Amino acid sequence: MSLTLEELNDIAEKELSRQQQFSRQIRVCCAASCLSCQDADLTQQLQQTARQQAMGETEIKPVGCLGLCKEGPLVSVHPEGTLYSHVQINTSKAILLSESSLPRPSAIDPGQSLFFTRQNPIVLRNSGSINPERIEEYIAVGGYKALYQAIRNMHPGEILSQIQQSGLRGRGGAGYPTGLKWSAVAKTKSTQKYVICNADEGDPGAFMDRSVLESDPHSVLEGMAIAGYAVGAQAGYIYVRAEYPLAVQRLRTAIRQAEKFGLLGNNIFNSSFHFSLTIRLGAGAFVCGEETAIIASIEGLPGKPRPRPPYPATSGIKGCPTLINNVETFANISPILTRGSAWFAGIGTDKSKGTKVFALAGRVKRTGLIEVPMGTTLREIIFDIGGGISDNGTFKAAQTGGPSGGCIPKQHLDIPMDYESLASIGSIMGSGGLIVLDQSSCMVDVAKFFMEFCTSESCGKCVPCRVGTMQMYTILDKITRGQAQLSDLEQLEDLCDLVRSTSLCGLGQTAPNPVLSTLRFFRDEYISHIQDQHCPAGVCSLLTGK
Amino acid sequence: MTDHRLQNSVRQRHSLHPEDIVTLVIDGQQLTADPNDTLLTIAQAHNIHIPTLCFLEGISAYGGCRVCLVEVEGYGKLVPACLTHPAEGIIVRTQSPRVIEYRKKIVELLLSERNHICSVCVTNGHCELQQLASTLGITHIRYPGLFPSLAIDASNTRFIHDPNRCVLCSRCVRVCAEIEGAHTWDIIHRGIKSRVSADLNQPWKEAVTCTGCGKCVQACPTGALSEQGKAVGEMLKKRYTESTT
């Protein structure tokens, strides 16, 4: 079946009038974080209570991530907008009923909380407001209209120039201009092309892609279909890690629904454009986030990278031109087409446009999923949105970019979060993991943690990454045990240079970053471990015995 | 096998039009070349020596050992000569102090990874790793030896697999898959735990896909794969030419 615009509008209107029957809407966060701390199925429990009390005018629905993960399980009540935190079965009744005798969960007014007011949701526009398992709700908020516009009213070249003018850059970490990437694939003459959505999110502490897929899977599907049309691809893969069962389940549901409505498949919107999507599960290898490794894995080969060029844009899956973008990149596409590239380019900084989703984690009062304009300072993110350091601690560093990134110290708290600024101080934007560290963290230990991660996640194909990371880990381990000498530090820096300059893929080339950045800003801690056998943070316990 | 690997293994030779020829400079020599060739083969054709380890003529290039890394002016990164095609006008340096130093360190890393004690090895004196180290002037290893303890597989009646001597160059894997067509060998696990293994991690004797051709043994640059019954230094690999030095 193929939809017409009228039919699409019809679905939206029907859904809106269905929603208007209810005077009150109770949204229960059903993303992985809140689900994991519910003591029973909250949605079901609330629905049951509403039934018992014959509250027909109240709609209770599961929604995606409400953002403030630290305070979960979260329930938000509309139209007031009140957000209830730490809702459990015994306190849930009070949300529905006004009896004062019932135990009430604590309430937050999002309009008054910096956590919410400082954000600018584009990627997360529907997160926490629509039921991710109902395509009707996505259509009701204007979903798939951009796809219609693209297919029926736009030439692929127009889409490419819109994306290019918007200044959107890859949200997977490297920040390659998305428009250029699309154009490179569009330019190729092949009749068979592919689109891949990289959802193999693997940085420790990162959960942006998972939340987007769990909260608004259709925005990713729509972005992929538009990409398919723009570059001339008929098939796409979503490479998602098997460790995200809920995201996989919601993606499956979303694809099934989109196929049923004719939004994926043959002759979409009665055009000659066909686009089908397949889910591929990753088996938990971090290196499979590297684009040539992802392709190998989708082809059924071991997930190991190969040297580029040829780039996937010219030779990807089965040697065909292949476009690979991150989840968040695809989620940005439909708003850019709907609201125009000029609108998007007006957000952010000179070279980094739009917003960035961060997974705010670590020693910060309000952890959760946030989306801020590019160029927001680290200080605003941690102290305004995050509410400062938890347990009255003092800020020590913020780790961005996971195992490929670095640590940002106190003196750089006012750094604007954009690609260039972060790179200038030896860190990277990365995919959006942001871990806040306080005085209780030992920076040598942090570097060791990430090096251990790289050692175990190295695919083993090239020598510098396979053996070099192991040798670096050995030295870091020696330092944390108080058995190192200053010459080891020299050796460590030498290895950083070797591994960075000679490794085959991005994993190895960036693996030294956590070491290099901690050495740059916290060298005194390394020296203290080596010369005084003393760990300033008191983390490396083997030292204190001496 | 993926297309790009196929393209690598089957190099097409055909009469070239002048516009299909690129000019480049390798170590100061002005050269013309077929853009489908790699920097390594071009250099070899002009008697410019670039050391290699995982490269073996006749099978696909791998790019894993990083020993053939060369500098190309204007390129941000070092590139493996075995997999890089020439672009018009590039200036390549195969012997800059920087690449020589990196090569040395990479080979030292390899020597530190497993148990490479030449004096008790069947390929002593005929080993590519040994020759490579000696050519690069490696007299000591700056990294501590990791010395994992890996079991030797002597189950096959004709051959021995000693992973303690293995450099994971995957020449055995590729020669078995691409020339013999058996694909008995592959690399299991990942990172520092990577190991070459037969079939689904079976003892060699029980690997039903193995035809017993012995190509892997001859392709192996070190003593990791050898014939049964050889004493120290007795294992000479049969190749069309002496291994590269």
Side-chain angles (χ1 to χ4, degrees):
Chain A
M1 108 176 218
S2 253
L3 278 184
T4 61
L5 183 63
E6 288 71 38
E7 286 168 324
L8 190 71
N9 286 336
D10 238 27
I11 297 168
E13 270 164 39
K14 256 189 211 150
E15 172 60 23
L16 286 174
S17 60
R18 187 194 70 81
Q19 289 176 9
Q20 273 156 15
Q21 294 167 35
F22 304 104
S23 59
R24 219 166 161 230
Q25 200 178 54
I26 294 181
R27 300 171 181 172
V28 187
C29 178
C30 285
S33 167
C34 279
L35 281 184
S36 67
C37 51
Q38 289 180 6
D39 54 3
D41 189 334
L42 258 182
T43 321
Q44 227 174 42
Q45 188 68 30
L46 281 164
Q47 280 167 345
Q48 199 184 338
T49 315
R51 254 199 314 277
Q52 283 164 0
Q53 306 289 333
M55 301 171 81
E57 77 293 350
T58 305
E59 187 195 16
I60 291 146
K61 69 173 186 183
V63 293
C65 184
L66 283 165
L68 194 51
C69 304
K70 178 76 168 277
E71 308 289 331
L74 296 168
V75 172
S76 109
V77 178
H78 292 263
E80 312 88 281
T82 316
L83 185 69
Y84 291 98
S85 61
H86 302 291
V87 182
Q88 296 297 359
I89 295 302
N90 62 338
T91 52
S92 67
K93 267 191 187 163
I95 298 174
L96 282 171
L97 313 167
S98 48
E99 291 164 43
S100 54
S101 58
L102 290 167
R104 293 190 77 83
S106 46
I108 300 161
D109 181 0
Q112 298 297 316
S113 169
L114 286 178
F115 183 86
F116 295 97
T117 52
R118 282 295 174 90
Q119 293 197 46
N120 182 2
I122 295 173
V123 169
L124 303 176
R125 59 195 181 277
N126 299 323
S127 181
S129 63
I130 66 166
N131 180 345
E133 300 198 348
R134 290 190 65 232
I135 190 171
E136 294 87 351
E137 296 203 17
Y138 181 70
I139 294 174
V141 291
Y144 288 108
K145 276 240 178 86
L147 180 63
Y148 179 87
Q149 282 299 329
I151 295 177
R152 296 303 304 255
N153 301 334
M154 288 171 92
H155 187 265
E158 285 175 61
I159 302 174
L160 296 176
S161 63
Q162 284 274 321
I163 300 298
Q164 229 155 32
Q165 284 159 16
S166 74
L168 176 67
R169 294 169 67 176
R171 297 293 193 248
Y176 189 79
T178 307
L180 283 185
K181 212 177 202 181
W182 287 28
S183 301
V185 181
K187 253 193 294 196
T188 58
K189 297 251 172 347
S190 171
T191 50
Q192 185 76 34
K193 299 180 193 179
Y194 294 95
V195 174
I196 298 176
C197 172
N198 184 349
D200 191 55
E201 182 176 57
D203 290 2
F207 50 89
M208 304 76 52
D209 295 350
R210 190 195 69 200
S211 290
V212 171
L213 292 174
E214 285 173 358
S215 307
D216 194 12
H218 286 288
S219 69
V220 179
L221 304 193
E222 188 179 2
M224 287 184 78
I226 294 169
Y229 175 73
V231 304
Q234 295 84 34
Y237 290 95
I238 302 176
Y239 190 88
V240 54
R241 54 202 317 239
E243 291 94 326
Y244 285 174
L246 188 62
V248 174
Q249 180 210 314
R250 290 196 177 148
L251 269 175
R252 288 214 166 104
T253 309
I255 292 176
R256 203 175 53 237
Q257 290 172 344
E259 282 171 349
K260 194 179 137 206
F261 279 74
L263 297 163
L264 288 176
N266 290 341
N267 301 102
I268 300 171
F269 289 120
N270 295 309
S271 70
S272 58
F273 174 59
H274 314 310
F275 194 70
S276 62
L277 276 179
T278 314
I279 295 178
R280 281 293 162 93
L281 298 188
F286 178 69
V287 73
C288 283
E290 201 278 341
E291 56 182 19
T292 57
I294 238 183
I295 290 167
S297 183
I298 286 174
E299 286 175 340
L301 298 166
K304 294 192 177 184
R306 60 159 176 82
R308 301 173 302 180
Y311 287 91
T314 50
S315 174
I317 295 178
K318 298 176 204 151
C320 300
T322 303
L323 172 76
I324 306 182
N325 277 141
N326 170 266
V327 170
E328 197 184 326
T329 313
F330 281 124
N332 269 306
I333 300 302
S334 139
I336 290 176
L337 289 197
T338 313
R339 305 179 69 172
S341 51
W343 160 78
F344 190 83
I347 306 166
T349 64
D350 196 24
K351 284 185 173 167
S352 306
K353 303 296 186 190
T355 58
K356 181 77 197 83
V357 180
F358 288 102
L360 190 55
R363 306 287 293 160
V364 62
K365 275 187 189 139
R366 295 191 282 258
T367 59
L369 192 70
I370 61 163
E371 183 173 0
V372 290
M374 291 274 187
T376 306
T377 65
L378 184 61
R379 189 187 298 278
E380 285 174 85
I381 292 178
I382 295 173
F383 290 95
D384 294 346
I385 296 174
I389 308 300
S390 52
D391 304 326
N392 296 319
T394 50
F395 173 83
K396 185 168 188 179
Q399 210 280 339
T400 66
S404 310
C407 294
I408 306 168
K410 198 155 47 182
Q411 63 264 37
H412 289 297
L413 259 175
D414 288 306
I415 189 163
M417 299 292 271
D418 62 56
Y419 294 102
E420 277 74 25
S421 305
L422 285 169
S424 74
I425 55 161
S427 190
I428 60 163
M429 172 79 79
S431 57
L434 180 60
I435 303 169
V436 179
L437 307 170
D438 68 2
Q439 77 289 342
S440 66
S441 287
C442 164
M443 300 315 283
V444 186
D445 188 59
V446 168
K448 183 176 124 178
F449 168 82
F450 282 109
M451 195 48 67
E452 188 177 9
F453 182 86
C454 288
T455 306
S456 68
E457 293 300 334
S458 163
C459 81
K461 180 169 175 173
C462 77
V463 181
C465 179
R466 182 179 76 228
V467 194
T469 54
M470 188 65 204
Q471 291 289 5
M472 284 198 273
Y473 172 75
T474 311
I475 296 175
L476 288 164
D477 187 50
K478 240 167 102 177
I479 298 175
T480 56
R481 284 192 284 115
Q483 291 163 356
Q485 292 161 341
L486 280 176
S487 60
D488 287 311
L489 210 53
E490 224 171 279
Q491 175 99 274
L492 182 64
E493 288 182 289
D494 195 57
L495 274 165
C496 285
D497 171 53
L498 176 73
V499 174
R500 184 159 69 166
S501 309
T502 62
S503 289
L504 193 156
C505 81
L507 192 156
Q509 287 160 9
T510 58
N513 285 358
V515 179
L516 287 169
S517 90
T518 48
L519 269 171
R520 178 169 167 183
F521 296 119
F522 300 95
R523 199 182 189 88
D524 51 329
E525 286 197 30
Y526 281 83
I527 303 288
S528 165
H529 279 76
I530 294 168
Q531 287 191 327
D532 313 328
Q533 278 84 43
H534 171 67
C535 174
V539 172
C540 305
S541 56
L542 282 162
L543 292 168
T544 46
K546 185 163 173 173
Chain B
M1 205 187 344
T2 52
D3 286 356
H4 57 90
R5 285 168 67 186
L6 200 68
Q7 279 163 12
N8 276 321
S9 63
V10 188
R11 222 172 49 245
Q12 288 165 353
R13 291 245 160 240
H14 47 85
S15 55
L16 289 168
H17 291 290
E19 59 264 32
D20 290 336
I21 292 176
V22 291
T23 57
L24 70 158
V25 178
I26 303 183
D27 293 347
Q29 281 193 51
Q30 285 269 4
L31 307 170
T32 56
D34 180 345
N36 298 310
D37 276 346
T38 64
L39 296 183
L40 181 65
T41 49
I42 297 165
Q44 281 172 343
H46 292 88
N47 291 319
I48 300 167
H49 176 68
I50 302 174
T52 57
L53 184 60
C54 69
F55 177 82
L56 187 64
E57 197 176 338
I59 56 174
S60 65
Y62 186 61
C65 74
R66 317 307 281 171
V67 170
C68 72
L69 285 180
V70 294
E71 252 179 32
V72 180
E73 217 167 84
Y75 286 17
K77 289 169 186 163
L78 302 175
V79 293
C82 67
L83 273 163
T84 306
H85 300 283
E88 177 58 39
I90 58 168
I91 299 169
V92 183
R93 274 184 288 272
T94 73
Q95 302 297 328
S96 73
R98 180 164 170 244
V99 290
I100 289 178
E101 198 53 32
Y102 282 150
R103 274 181 205 143
K104 255 175 133 165
K105 287 176 189 165
I106 287 166
V107 173
E108 284 181 43
L109 279 177
L110 267 181
L111 291 166
S112 79
E113 185 184 15
R114 295 206 176 158
N115 193 341
H116 295 289
I117 309 294
C118 301
S119 57
V120 290
C121 178
V122 287
T123 49
N124 188 11
H126 324 289
C127 169
E128 282 185 44
L129 179 66
Q130 190 181 37
Q131 283 166 349
L132 185 61
S134 125
T135 318
L136 291 169
I138 293 172
T139 52
H140 66 285
I141 306 165
R142 70 194 85 188
Y143 311 110
L146 302 173
F147 300 122
S149 169
L150 303 170
I152 294 170
D153 182 355
S155 63
N156 190 303
T157 50
R158 290 168 55 212
F159 310 117
I160 293 179
H161 173 213
D162 180 358
N164 296 293
R165 309 276 196 238
C166 178
V167 290
L168 294 163
C169 67
S170 91
R171 276 159 52 160
C172 56
V173 177
R174 286 172 286 149
V175 80
C176 182
E178 296 168 19
I179 307 295
E180 181 62 6
H183 207 147
T184 301
W185 296 112
D186 214 325
I187 294 174
I188 58 164
H189 302 307
R190 66 172 177 240
I192 198 74
K193 291 182 183 150
S194 301
R195 238 167 7 87
V196 168
S197 113
D199 275 6
L200 293 169
N201 201 14
Q202 300 297 304
W204 196 347
K205 155 179 94 167
E206 280 158 42
V208 290
T209 59
C210 177
T211 61
C213 73
K215 287 187 185 72
C216 53
V217 176
Q218 308 308 332
C220 174
T222 69
L225 291 170
S226 63
E227 289 158 4
Q228 289 267 14
K230 300 286 186 196
V232 170
E234 282 186 356
M235 181 65 218
L236 270 103
K237 306 282 169 119
K238 295 181 198 113
R239 286 209 216 113
Y240 62 94
T241 168
E242 246 323 303
S243 51
T244 47
T245 48

